[in-house]
Amino acid sequence: AQSVAQPEDQVNVAEGNPLTVKCTYSVSGNPYLFWYVQYPNRGLQFLLKYITGDNLVKGSYGFEAEFNKSQTSFHLKKPSALVSDSALYFCAVSRNTGGFKTIFGAGTRLFVKA
Amino acid sequence: NAGVMQNPRHLVRRRGQEARLRCSPMKGHSHVYWYRQLPEEGLKFMVYLQKENIIDESGMPKERFSAEFPKEGPSILRIQQVVRGDSAAYFCASSQQGGQNSNQPQHFGDGTRLSIL
């Protein structure tokens, strides 16, 4: 069955340190992968996506994500965290065949401490 | 700002009443999705619509819930005879093309927070 997992409910990091938010997926065929961010009382905002090509994808606000096919992972990273990065992050997976729906992970809450 | 517009932002209803949630997609977008989010939980897909058609309603409860996206006007998510368990944030998203199995990102509104007294 197709699925996406965000193994950490919460990630804590100090401001200025690198951050990683993990995502793994299970889907047959070639996936489309997305990261979204949600601030309090707001909708999800698109950060970046992987469709094909270069495994390292750069997105908004200095975020990037690395697609690793062998590990079926798409971890979100940022070299230097900001307090304003504190939010809820969602990984999502889709695919272009077979009527596959976009599936969202359960979300990971990121706390960046000053 | 021509983003996805949802209204109302907050809606309070008593048990047994009807709730109507509206969503105007981004300009040029013909695909609309509705999701439900409970506190501290992820998004649950409810329904995917294109103009005048329901494409996938596999996430919608069989009773009391309905959705439409008419030729003119916003998409409407309708909940009849609301119960306490319907309290949640309901988000609408739109995309330009391709539907659920697409490489296009979805653009989200800021949601309607439904509270049932």
Side-chain angles (χ1 to χ4, degrees):
Chain A
Q2 290 86 1
S3 65
V4 58
Q6 293 182 242
E8 302 154 316
D9 290 336
Q10 185 171 309
V11 170
N12 298 308
V13 65
E15 188 174 33
N17 283 0
L19 70 87
T20 299
V21 183
K22 295 179 181 177
C23 172
T24 59
Y25 65 92
S26 173
V27 64
S28 56
N30 296 318
Y32 299 143
L33 294 155
F34 305 82
W35 275 103
Y36 292 82
V37 60
Q38 185 181 30
Y39 297 101
N41 299 315
R42 301 296 302 276
L44 276 66
Q45 296 177 34
F46 168 71
L47 276 178
L48 51 78
K49 69 179 180 182
Y50 171 82
I51 304 301
T52 186
D54 195 349
N55 289 344
L56 185 64
V57 179
K58 293 191 183 296
S60 307
Y61 312 121
F63 284 94
E64 58 189 28
E66 186 166 13
F67 171 62
N68 187 318
K69 189 171 184 177
S70 63
Q71 297 185 6
T72 61
S73 67
F74 189 57
H75 300 332
L76 181 70
K77 302 184 181 203
K78 187 172 182 181
S80 179
L82 299 172
V83 172
S84 58
D85 292 329
S86 298
L88 189 55
Y89 289 82
F90 290 95
C91 180
V93 62
S94 180
R95 195 184 69 192
N96 71 340
T97 58
F100 182 65
K101 294 195 238 318
T102 300
I103 296 177
F104 287 82
T108 297
R109 190 164 294 282
L110 173 68
F111 287 102
V112 181
K113 187 179 282 190
Chain B
N1 186 346
V4 177
M5 302 300 294
Q6 289 188 250
N7 68 82
R9 290 295 309 276
H10 301 274
L11 182 60
V12 179
R13 286 285 178 267
R14 296 188 181 280
R15 280 178 293 171
Q17 291 184 319
E18 178 180 286
R20 277 184 184 242
L21 287 61
R22 294 175 186 78
C23 170
S24 296
M26 278 184 75
K27 190 175 181 181
H29 287 192
S30 58
H31 302 258
V32 165
Y33 320 83
W34 285 94
Y35 296 88
R36 175 174 144 142
Q37 185 179 37
L38 291 169
E40 302 304 314
E41 291 191 14
L43 289 176
K44 298 286 187 188
F45 166 77
M46 298 182 74
V47 62
Y48 159 44
L49 311 102
Q50 293 182 33
K51 283 284 186 183
E52 300 185 273
N53 288 303
I54 297 174
I55 307 303
D56 182 348
E57 57 182 348
S58 58
M60 283 266 271
K62 295 281 187 282
E63 298 178 351
R64 302 188 298 109
F65 285 73
S66 62
E68 61 177 13
F69 188 16
K71 187 176 180 181
E72 301 291 338
S75 175
I76 306 286
L77 178 67
R78 184 181 176 206
I79 312 172
Q80 294 178 291
Q81 300 173 331
V82 296
V83 301
R84 287 250 169 88
D86 296 332
S87 296
Y90 292 84
F91 289 95
C92 169
S94 70
S95 68
Q96 194 170 26
Q97 49 183 250
Q100 277 281 65
N101 53 359
S102 166
N103 63 14
Q104 297 294 316
Q106 296 180 16
H107 297 264
F108 284 79
D110 284 336
T112 294
R113 277 142 190 89
L114 176 64
S115 298
I116 309 302
L117 301 179

